[in-house]
Amino acid sequence: MAETAPMDPENAKIDRENSVKIICLGDSAVGKSKLVERFLMDGYQPQQLSTYALTLFRYNTTVNSKEVVVDFWDTAGQERFSSMHPSYYHQAHCCILVFDITRKITYKNLPNWFKELREYRPSIPCICAANKIDVDYNVTKKAFNFAKKHNMPFYFVSASDGTNVVKLFRNAIKLATEYKENSTDFMDEVMRELDNFDELNLSSDSGLDTAPNSEEKDEKEA
Amino acid sequence: MSIMPQQCGVRFDPPALVLTYHNHRGNLHRRTMPIRGFTKRSGITRTAESLVSNPRHRKYLENISRPQIEKLLRIIQEHMKGISLDETLGAIKMENTIDPDEDLNKLDDIALSRKKAIMDEDFEKNRKKPGDEGFEYEVEVDFLPAIETSGWDDQSDPEF
């Protein structure tokens, strides 16, 4: 049971206000996990949530002198089921979209990932990372239009020798926190309201926990 | 007693691994190791495991790499299925190289981990980790603006 502790609702409530969620997307074997591992280095034990087929890395940092808890979500191979479970996208604040410069198909598949992302999260910031540049540094002289076309930051990175990995993740964290503070997305605003509820210290047996469900039912019956 | 393997091959029927080797006196010998109960459906990994742990064969096979033994078993098994040697060798080669146009999302766990193992060789080759000379946590490089196209953007495709 210990492995599921971070998903415990009580913990989630405490953390939610100052936490951001960053997800990684892209084909199998483009290096998503290796990038996260390179950023976090040793000492961070990923939470393997096999039930949900994902890997969760929790990271504490400071953004503009405010403490922030960052949850990095990694697919744990789930990308092979052609689409991700909706919970993967739920309340994400930033997305890192990765392709492998040695394999063209991983670049050609970016629009599919991006499209799926936008179905669930229409307005969160997204960053494009071209990984494995250590295999051939000449690739950094070349233009890849996808990121420009969709107006997203683009980085040449290498999880192997570390090039621009820290820069990529710092920028992702910055964009995620900015998004969370300023989002006008309806669901995000609802989530912010819920955070405010928590601040009022409403006890969990106030009945609020079950209220949304019964409302839903009422709507359907009506 | 030391065994100096020279060549390791197969006999199709009945299935066996055939090893030529020099013994400690430098004499050339040949040893045929039957693979009992091996069928079209036998697991390659398990069969290889039981061969190398067989006390009669162990010392002869300890200097043969596991991938090579598995490859030889695979050749025998594909032959049992009526697949030609050339075809099998071609397939094995495909599995052990990275095709930049192959969609790895479609592979099963075993095939994917094989591809990942090949890519990991590059990863490890260029890897800088803590303790290595010249390792820095933060490596920032501003690359100059692109001077050529990647050739991966298709003008007719609105996505790129």
Side-chain angles (χ1 to χ4, degrees):
Chain A
M1 282 314 283
E3 68 189 24
T4 59
M7 296 300 278
D8 179 80
E10 288 303 313
N11 280 347
K13 242 181 227 173
I14 295 161
D15 289 336
R16 203 162 61 210
E17 197 190 349
N18 65 338
S19 75
V20 290
K21 169 176 168 181
I22 297 176
I23 57 175
C24 299
L25 277 186
D27 276 14
S28 291
V30 293
K32 299 182 292 292
S33 311
K34 286 208 156 56
L35 284 168
V36 180
E37 284 163 12
R38 175 57 180 77
F39 175 66
L40 299 177
M41 299 303 301
D42 300 331
Y44 288 89
Q45 293 303 314
Q47 307 280 343
Q48 282 279 0
L49 303 177
S50 52
T51 330
Y52 302 98
L54 61 89
T55 313
L56 192 68
F57 300 81
R58 182 155 287 188
Y59 174 72
N60 299 298
T61 187
T62 324
V63 179
N64 298 331
S65 63
K66 256 173 73 181
E67 292 201 6
V68 178
V69 180
V70 186
D71 281 332
F72 291 109
W73 289 49
D74 185 21
T75 59
Q78 207 190 133
E79 66 272 18
R80 282 154 56 218
F81 304 112
S82 78
S83 69
M84 301 294 296
H85 191 269
S87 61
Y88 192 73
Y89 297 101
H90 178 72
Q91 284 300 299
H93 300 102
C94 181
C95 171
I96 299 174
L97 196 52
V98 188
F99 73 99
D100 171 352
I101 60 104
T102 69
R103 292 186 295 131
K104 184 177 177 181
I105 189 161
T106 66
Y107 182 69
K108 288 294 184 190
N109 279 337
L110 289 181
N112 303 335
W113 291 117
F114 190 59
K115 191 170 157 246
E116 188 173 287
L117 169 73
R118 284 303 178 229
E119 278 165 21
Y120 292 99
R121 300 296 281 157
S123 58
I124 64 168
C126 186
I127 304 178
C128 185
N131 190 28
K132 307 195 189 176
I133 57 167
D134 56 283
V135 176
D136 177 15
Y137 265 92
N138 284 320
V139 77
T140 61
K141 295 179 191 152
K142 295 179 179 169
F144 295 89
N145 282 340
F146 177 80
K148 201 188 284 174
K149 195 127 199 168
H150 297 277
N151 215 0
M152 56 177 91
F154 176 85
Y155 293 101
F156 282 117
V157 301
S158 162
S160 175
D161 68 19
T163 304
N164 290 338
V165 174
V166 175
K167 190 177 170 184
L168 166 72
F169 281 91
R170 291 235 171 99
N171 194 22
I173 294 168
K174 187 174 141 271
L175 292 175
T177 47
E178 284 170 3
Y179 174 82
K180 192 177 180 188
E181 282 163 15
N182 305 317
S183 169
T184 53
D185 182 278
F186 173 68
M187 270 313 290
D188 293 333
E189 293 195 39
V190 171
M191 292 306 279
R192 261 204 304 270
E193 287 303 315
L194 288 174
D195 285 347
N196 294 338
F197 266 122
D198 290 346
E199 276 170 27
L200 297 174
N201 284 327
L202 292 174
S203 64
S204 58
D205 58 1
S206 63
L208 272 176
D209 283 343
T210 52
N213 279 335
S214 53
E215 270 172 35
E216 234 171 63
K217 273 179 206 148
D218 291 345
E219 272 174 38
K220 271 172 200 157
E221 278 162 14
Chain B
M1 187 178 81
S2 71
I3 301 292
M4 304 265 288
Q6 297 302 303
Q7 280 184 313
C8 192
V10 300
R11 183 184 69 195
F12 283 138
D13 197 18
L17 291 188
V18 182
L19 175 75
T20 55
Y21 64 93
H22 288 296
N23 68 5
H24 63 295
R25 285 199 206 91
N27 299 332
L28 191 64
H29 286 266
R30 186 166 75 182
R31 182 176 178 84
T32 300
M33 292 162 274
I35 311 160
R36 295 183 209 288
F38 189 57
T39 71
K40 283 181 217 179
R41 313 178 129 231
S42 302
I44 297 285
T45 316
R46 240 170 86 185
T47 308
E49 182 62 45
S50 75
L51 264 175
V52 298
S53 57
N54 182 326
R56 285 159 43 86
H57 305 318
R58 194 162 44 205
K59 70 180 174 197
Y60 298 92
L61 291 175
E62 66 187 6
N63 288 321
I64 312 286
S65 77
R66 183 62 73 90
Q68 187 181 356
I69 293 172
E70 291 185 5
K71 181 176 163 182
L72 293 168
L73 292 175
R74 172 95 174 272
I75 288 168
I76 297 172
Q77 197 171 53
E78 298 296 299
H79 176 82
M80 288 171 166
K81 295 177 192 164
I83 294 163
S84 78
L85 182 60
D86 279 351
E87 235 175 299
T88 304
L89 291 176
I92 291 172
K93 199 174 167 202
M94 277 285 291
E95 286 164 16
N96 291 312
T97 48
I98 304 294
D99 173 357
D101 296 318
E102 185 183 6
D103 190 341
L104 301 188
N105 298 331
K106 300 199 167 99
L107 297 184
D108 61 40
D109 282 346
I110 294 168
L112 179 64
S113 61
R114 198 182 287 133
K115 297 285 185 186
K116 281 189 171 180
I118 301 163
M119 294 188 221
D120 274 346
E121 284 174 25
D122 272 328
F123 180 81
E124 290 300 332
K125 199 167 64 197
N126 301 326
R127 188 170 184 192
K128 284 213 185 83
K129 47 183 188 296
D132 289 353
E133 200 178 316
F135 171 82
E136 280 181 68
Y137 173 60
E138 204 164 337
V139 189
E140 200 171 322
V141 184
D142 280 317
F143 294 103
L144 295 168
I147 51 171
E148 54 188 298
T149 83
S150 62
W152 287 6
D153 294 304
D154 187 348
Q155 301 298 330
S156 61
D157 187 340
E159 294 286 359
F160 294 97

Tab-separated table of all heavy atoms in Angstrom, chain A residues 171-206:
chain	number	residue	atom	x	y	z
A	171	ASN	N	12.384	25.411	-17.367
A	171	ASN	CA	11.403	26.185	-18.133
A	171	ASN	C	10.015	25.556	-18.026
A	171	ASN	O	9.010	26.257	-17.872
A	171	ASN	CB	11.836	26.297	-19.596
A	171	ASN	CG	11.050	27.349	-20.341
A	171	ASN	OD1	10.496	28.256	-19.715
A	171	ASN	ND2	10.972	27.231	-21.658
A	172	ALA	N	9.964	24.238	-18.042
A	172	ALA	CA	8.672	23.542	-17.914
A	172	ALA	C	8.029	23.867	-16.561
A	172	ALA	O	6.826	24.126	-16.481
A	172	ALA	CB	8.868	22.037	-18.074
A	173	ILE	N	8.839	23.860	-15.514
A	173	ILE	CA	8.311	24.144	-14.173
A	173	ILE	C	7.803	25.588	-14.110
A	173	ILE	O	6.732	25.873	-13.569
A	173	ILE	CB	9.393	23.903	-13.096
A	173	ILE	CG1	9.752	22.412	-13.047
A	173	ILE	CG2	8.931	24.396	-11.731
A	173	ILE	CD1	10.997	22.094	-12.241
A	174	LYS	N	8.574	26.487	-14.708
A	174	LYS	CA	8.184	27.905	-14.713
A	174	LYS	C	6.861	28.085	-15.453
A	174	LYS	O	5.921	28.717	-14.950
A	174	LYS	CB	9.298	28.710	-15.395
A	174	LYS	CG	9.125	30.205	-15.320
A	174	LYS	CD	10.370	30.891	-15.893
A	174	LYS	CE	10.034	32.115	-16.702
A	174	LYS	NZ	9.785	31.909	-18.120
A	175	LEU	N	6.762	27.497	-16.630
A	175	LEU	CA	5.531	27.624	-17.414
A	175	LEU	C	4.343	26.990	-16.679
A	175	LEU	O	3.224	27.522	-16.715
A	175	LEU	CB	5.702	26.971	-18.790
A	175	LEU	CG	6.683	27.663	-19.743
A	175	LEU	CD1	6.856	26.850	-21.017
A	175	LEU	CD2	6.204	29.077	-20.079
A	176	ALA	N	4.598	25.868	-16.016
A	176	ALA	CA	3.522	25.177	-15.300
A	176	ALA	C	2.991	26.046	-14.154
A	176	ALA	O	1.778	26.169	-13.976
A	176	ALA	CB	4.021	23.828	-14.771
A	177	THR	N	3.880	26.644	-13.387
A	177	THR	CA	3.424	27.465	-12.247
A	177	THR	C	2.711	28.719	-12.746
A	177	THR	O	1.682	29.111	-12.196
A	177	THR	CB	4.596	27.856	-11.320
A	177	THR	OG1	5.674	28.339	-12.117
A	177	THR	CG2	5.087	26.674	-10.520
A	178	GLU	N	3.241	29.323	-13.798
A	178	GLU	CA	2.578	30.508	-14.358
A	178	GLU	C	1.178	30.152	-14.855
A	178	GLU	O	0.222	30.875	-14.618
A	178	GLU	CB	3.395	31.079	-15.537
A	178	GLU	CG	4.612	31.843	-15.093
A	178	GLU	CD	5.544	32.187	-16.260
A	178	GLU	OE1	5.203	31.875	-17.440
A	178	GLU	OE2	6.604	32.749	-15.991
A	179	TYR	N	1.113	29.013	-15.530
A	179	TYR	CA	-0.189	28.595	-16.049
A	179	TYR	C	-1.177	28.398	-14.908
A	179	TYR	O	-2.316	28.853	-14.958
A	179	TYR	CB	-0.059	27.291	-16.843
A	179	TYR	CG	-1.395	26.751	-17.283
A	179	TYR	CD1	-2.022	27.254	-18.426
A	179	TYR	CD2	-2.066	25.794	-16.529
A	179	TYR	CE1	-3.259	26.792	-18.813
A	179	TYR	CE2	-3.315	25.327	-16.910
A	179	TYR	CZ	-3.907	25.835	-18.055
A	179	TYR	OH	-5.146	25.385	-18.424
A	180	LYS	N	-0.708	27.719	-13.851
A	180	LYS	CA	-1.610	27.415	-12.747
A	180	LYS	C	-2.146	28.693	-12.105
A	180	LYS	O	-3.306	28.781	-11.735
A	180	LYS	CB	-0.888	26.565	-11.703
A	180	LYS	CG	-1.877	26.000	-10.712
A	180	LYS	CD	-1.275	25.106	-9.689
A	180	LYS	CE	-2.389	24.622	-8.774
A	180	LYS	NZ	-1.890	23.891	-7.621
A	181	GLU	N	-1.293	29.696	-11.997
A	181	GLU	CA	-1.717	30.934	-11.342
A	181	GLU	C	-2.663	31.756	-12.208
A	181	GLU	O	-3.520	32.466	-11.691
A	181	GLU	CB	-0.482	31.779	-10.983
A	181	GLU	CG	0.214	31.253	-9.740
A	181	GLU	CD	1.631	31.788	-9.596
A	181	GLU	OE1	1.960	32.779	-10.291
A	181	GLU	OE2	2.393	31.214	-8.804
A	182	ASN	N	-2.500	31.654	-13.506
A	182	ASN	CA	-3.237	32.577	-14.372
A	182	ASN	C	-4.287	31.930	-15.260
A	182	ASN	O	-4.922	32.612	-16.049
A	182	ASN	CB	-2.241	33.317	-15.287
A	182	ASN	CG	-1.177	34.004	-14.472
A	182	ASN	OD1	-1.470	34.619	-13.462
A	182	ASN	ND2	0.067	33.879	-14.900
A	183	SER	N	-4.457	30.625	-15.121
A	183	SER	CA	-5.324	29.943	-16.067
A	183	SER	C	-6.757	30.459	-16.023
A	183	SER	O	-7.310	30.740	-14.965
A	183	SER	CB	-5.322	28.442	-15.771
A	183	SER	OG	-6.350	27.835	-16.510
A	184	THR	N	-7.362	30.554	-17.180
A	184	THR	CA	-8.769	30.917	-17.245
A	184	THR	C	-9.612	29.739	-17.725
A	184	THR	O	-10.794	29.867	-17.978
A	184	THR	CB	-8.984	32.106	-18.223
A	184	THR	OG1	-8.385	31.753	-19.470
A	184	THR	CG2	-8.367	33.369	-17.700
A	185	ASP	N	-8.955	28.589	-17.833
A	185	ASP	CA	-9.675	27.370	-18.196
A	185	ASP	C	-10.707	27.064	-17.114
A	185	ASP	O	-10.423	27.128	-15.921
A	185	ASP	CB	-8.650	26.223	-18.315
A	185	ASP	CG	-9.297	24.912	-18.734
A	185	ASP	OD1	-9.853	24.219	-17.865
A	185	ASP	OD2	-9.238	24.604	-19.927
A	186	PHE	N	-11.913	26.720	-17.527
A	186	PHE	CA	-13.014	26.530	-16.566
A	186	PHE	C	-12.671	25.494	-15.493
A	186	PHE	O	-12.812	25.735	-14.297
A	186	PHE	CB	-14.287	26.111	-17.303
A	186	PHE	CG	-15.401	25.735	-16.364
A	186	PHE	CD1	-16.013	26.712	-15.566
A	186	PHE	CD2	-15.808	24.418	-16.251
A	186	PHE	CE1	-17.029	26.360	-14.689
A	186	PHE	CE2	-16.817	24.072	-15.369
A	186	PHE	CZ	-17.434	25.038	-14.589
A	187	MET	N	-12.202	24.325	-15.921
A	187	MET	CA	-11.897	23.265	-14.952
A	187	MET	C	-10.809	23.700	-13.985
A	187	MET	O	-10.844	23.373	-12.797
A	187	MET	CB	-11.464	21.984	-15.688
A	187	MET	CG	-12.592	21.049	-16.027
A	187	MET	SD	-13.721	20.764	-14.651
A	187	MET	CE	-12.660	19.793	-13.559
A	188	ASP	N	-9.829	24.464	-14.489
A	188	ASP	CA	-8.765	24.926	-13.611
A	188	ASP	C	-9.324	25.859	-12.547
A	188	ASP	O	-8.925	25.828	-11.388
A	188	ASP	CB	-7.690	25.654	-14.419
A	188	ASP	CG	-6.958	24.698	-15.349
A	188	ASP	OD1	-6.901	23.504	-15.026
A	188	ASP	OD2	-6.464	25.151	-16.388
A	189	GLU	N	-10.272	26.695	-12.964
A	189	GLU	CA	-10.862	27.620	-12.001
A	189	GLU	C	-11.644	26.858	-10.941
A	189	GLU	O	-11.615	27.203	-9.760
A	189	GLU	CB	-11.755	28.639	-12.728
A	189	GLU	CG	-10.918	29.564	-13.612
A	189	GLU	CD	-11.688	30.800	-14.058
A	189	GLU	OE1	-12.440	31.342	-13.239
A	189	GLU	OE2	-11.542	31.185	-15.221
A	190	VAL	N	-12.333	25.817	-11.377
A	190	VAL	CA	-13.059	24.981	-10.417
A	190	VAL	C	-12.077	24.378	-9.409
A	190	VAL	O	-12.309	24.381	-8.204
A	190	VAL	CB	-13.827	23.849	-11.147
A	190	VAL	CG1	-14.395	22.858	-10.136
A	190	VAL	CG2	-14.942	24.434	-11.991
A	191	MET	N	-10.944	23.896	-9.945
A	191	MET	CA	-9.954	23.292	-9.051
A	191	MET	C	-9.417	24.331	-8.068
A	191	MET	O	-9.183	24.022	-6.902
A	191	MET	CB	-8.791	22.689	-9.857
A	191	MET	CG	-9.158	21.479	-10.687
A	191	MET	SD	-9.941	20.143	-9.763
A	191	MET	CE	-8.500	19.349	-9.046
A	192	ARG	N	-9.231	25.551	-8.538
A	192	ARG	CA	-8.742	26.605	-7.625
A	192	ARG	C	-9.753	26.868	-6.525
A	192	ARG	O	-9.411	27.046	-5.364
A	192	ARG	CB	-8.455	27.889	-8.411
A	192	ARG	CG	-6.991	28.072	-8.757
A	192	ARG	CD	-6.634	29.536	-8.982
A	192	ARG	NE	-7.457	30.155	-9.996
A	192	ARG	CZ	-7.146	30.178	-11.298
A	192	ARG	NH1	-6.027	29.629	-11.704
A	192	ARG	NH2	-7.937	30.747	-12.170
A	193	GLU	N	-11.037	26.875	-6.918
A	193	GLU	CA	-12.086	27.065	-5.915
A	193	GLU	C	-12.026	25.956	-4.866
A	193	GLU	O	-12.167	26.197	-3.676
A	193	GLU	CB	-13.474	27.074	-6.581
A	193	GLU	CG	-13.760	28.342	-7.377
A	193	GLU	CD	-13.629	29.600	-6.517
A	193	GLU	OE1	-14.132	29.599	-5.387
A	193	GLU	OE2	-12.992	30.559	-6.992
A	194	LEU	N	-11.787	24.739	-5.328
A	194	LEU	CA	-11.696	23.618	-4.389
A	194	LEU	C	-10.536	23.822	-3.426
A	194	LEU	O	-10.631	23.524	-2.242
A	194	LEU	CB	-11.523	22.297	-5.149
A	194	LEU	CG	-12.777	21.809	-5.887
A	194	LEU	CD1	-12.449	20.583	-6.725
A	194	LEU	CD2	-13.885	21.483	-4.894
A	195	ASP	N	-9.435	24.358	-3.943
A	195	ASP	CA	-8.297	24.651	-3.067
A	195	ASP	C	-8.728	25.622	-1.980
A	195	ASP	O	-8.369	25.486	-0.814
A	195	ASP	CB	-7.147	25.266	-3.871
A	195	ASP	CG	-6.432	24.208	-4.692
A	195	ASP	OD1	-6.667	23.020	-4.436
A	195	ASP	OD2	-5.653	24.583	-5.578
A	196	ASN	N	-9.516	26.630	-2.391
A	196	ASN	CA	-9.975	27.616	-1.409
A	196	ASN	C	-10.855	26.970	-0.347
A	196	ASN	O	-10.771	27.307	0.830
A	196	ASN	CB	-10.737	28.744	-2.104
A	196	ASN	CG	-9.816	29.556	-3.005
A	196	ASN	OD1	-8.600	29.542	-2.807
A	196	ASN	ND2	-10.386	30.230	-3.991
A	197	PHE	N	-11.669	26.023	-0.778
A	197	PHE	CA	-12.478	25.281	0.187
A	197	PHE	C	-11.590	24.637	1.237
A	197	PHE	O	-11.848	24.696	2.427
A	197	PHE	CB	-13.284	24.170	-0.524
A	197	PHE	CG	-14.659	24.610	-0.905
A	197	PHE	CD1	-15.072	24.565	-2.221
A	197	PHE	CD2	-15.554	25.074	0.061
A	197	PHE	CE1	-16.341	24.975	-2.589
A	197	PHE	CE2	-16.824	25.469	-0.304
A	197	PHE	CZ	-17.219	25.428	-1.627
A	198	ASP	N	-10.531	24.009	0.737
A	198	ASP	CA	-9.623	23.321	1.654
A	198	ASP	C	-9.057	24.285	2.679
A	198	ASP	O	-8.881	23.955	3.833
A	198	ASP	CB	-8.465	22.685	0.878
A	198	ASP	CG	-8.952	21.515	0.046
A	198	ASP	OD1	-10.084	21.082	0.291
A	198	ASP	OD2	-8.204	21.061	-0.832
A	199	GLU	N	-8.778	25.491	2.230
A	199	GLU	CA	-8.214	26.481	3.152
A	199	GLU	C	-9.178	26.799	4.283
A	199	GLU	O	-8.776	27.159	5.384
A	199	GLU	CB	-7.869	27.771	2.398
A	199	GLU	CG	-6.506	27.697	1.751
A	199	GLU	CD	-6.262	28.866	0.810
A	199	GLU	OE1	-6.861	29.931	1.027
A	199	GLU	OE2	-5.485	28.672	-0.139
A	200	LEU	N	-10.467	26.701	4.015
A	200	LEU	CA	-11.453	26.973	5.060
A	200	LEU	C	-11.525	25.834	6.079
A	200	LEU	O	-12.298	25.894	7.021
A	200	LEU	CB	-12.835	27.181	4.429
A	200	LEU	CG	-12.954	28.379	3.483
A	200	LEU	CD1	-14.326	28.383	2.817
A	200	LEU	CD2	-12.728	29.683	4.218
A	201	ASN	N	-10.702	24.814	5.837
A	201	ASN	CA	-10.627	23.680	6.760
A	201	ASN	C	-11.958	22.964	6.949
A	201	ASN	O	-12.330	22.602	8.045
A	201	ASN	CB	-10.113	24.119	8.138
A	201	ASN	CG	-8.620	24.357	8.089
A	201	ASN	OD1	-7.909	23.679	7.353
A	201	ASN	ND2	-8.160	25.308	8.865
A	202	LEU	N	-12.662	22.805	5.875
A	202	LEU	CA	-13.885	22.016	5.971
A	202	LEU	C	-13.500	20.574	6.267
A	202	LEU	O	-12.575	20.040	5.681
A	202	LEU	CB	-14.647	22.074	4.638
A	202	LEU	CG	-15.229	23.435	4.292
A	202	LEU	CD1	-15.823	23.389	2.901
A	202	LEU	CD2	-16.274	23.862	5.302
A	203	SER	N	-14.217	19.974	7.187
A	203	SER	CA	-13.855	18.607	7.535
A	203	SER	C	-14.356	17.663	6.451
A	203	SER	O	-15.328	17.953	5.749
A	203	SER	CB	-14.444	18.230	8.895
A	203	SER	OG	-15.843	18.254	8.809
A	204	SER	N	-13.708	16.545	6.362
A	204	SER	CA	-14.017	15.651	5.254
A	204	SER	C	-15.386	14.979	5.432
A	204	SER	O	-15.933	14.419	4.501
A	204	SER	CB	-12.928	14.587	5.116
A	204	SER	OG	-12.828	13.883	6.334
A	205	ASP	N	-15.946	15.027	6.649
A	205	ASP	CA	-17.246	14.386	6.826
A	205	ASP	C	-18.396	15.398	6.692
A	205	ASP	O	-19.505	15.155	7.139
A	205	ASP	CB	-17.310	13.644	8.172
A	205	ASP	CG	-17.054	14.571	9.352
A	205	ASP	OD1	-16.836	15.806	9.105
A	205	ASP	OD2	-17.061	14.105	10.487
A	206	SER	N	-18.088	16.534	6.087
A	206	SER	CA	-19.118	17.553	5.941
A	206	SER	C	-20.148	17.182	4.890
A	206	SER	O	-21.138	17.871	4.713
A	206	SER	CB	-18.473	18.878	5.555
A	206	SER	OG	-17.843	18.727	4.308
